[in-house]
Amino acid sequence: MKAKLIAYGKKAKTLKKRFFELDPEVPEFVFGRSRDAQCMVLDVNVSRKHAFIKFSKECKEWNITDNKSINGVYVNHKKIH
């Protein structure tokens, strides 16, 4: 089950790629300022490895984890904990 992500918001227009299709076989998809991130976001409010998304084979669902970022992670305008 592939996941589709769309980047939006004030900084989304600055991204080279705004649409992502995630494969559940890939261990994790990282967002952040790091060059190693699959989605590199050049914004001082974003940590180097801000958050990651991975597929849980046991639960058959996608999970997003905030990597202890200062500004948090939002999904559908709601902050995750």
Side-chain angles (χ1 to χ4, degrees):
M1 169 172 50
K2 290 188 176 184
K4 293 183 180 181
L5 303 175
I6 301 171
Y8 68 96
K10 294 177 188 175
K11 298 288 182 174
K13 293 177 184 176
T14 64
L15 295 173
K16 287 183 181 178
K17 186 175 178 183
R18 291 186 59 207
F19 303 94
F20 300 90
E21 188 170 87
L22 308 183
D23 187 340
E25 297 302 318
V26 175
E28 66 183 22
F29 186 88
V30 179
F31 294 88
R33 284 192 339 254
S34 170
R35 290 178 190 233
D36 298 332
Q38 283 83 1
C39 178
M40 189 173 162
V41 182
L42 298 175
D43 184 328
V44 295
N45 296 310
V46 175
S47 304
R48 285 183 185 90
K49 290 189 178 179
H50 197 87
F52 61 90
I53 297 174
K54 62 187 343 183
F55 186 73
S56 168
K57 291 181 181 180
E58 298 91 31
C59 300
K60 294 185 169 66
E61 65 184 13
W62 289 91
N63 296 299
I64 185 165
T65 303
D66 183 351
N67 198 22
K68 300 177 185 169
S69 66
I70 293 172
N71 295 308
V73 173
Y74 293 79
V75 175
N76 297 328
H77 304 286
K78 294 180 183 176
K79 189 172 184 177
I80 66 166
H81 300 283

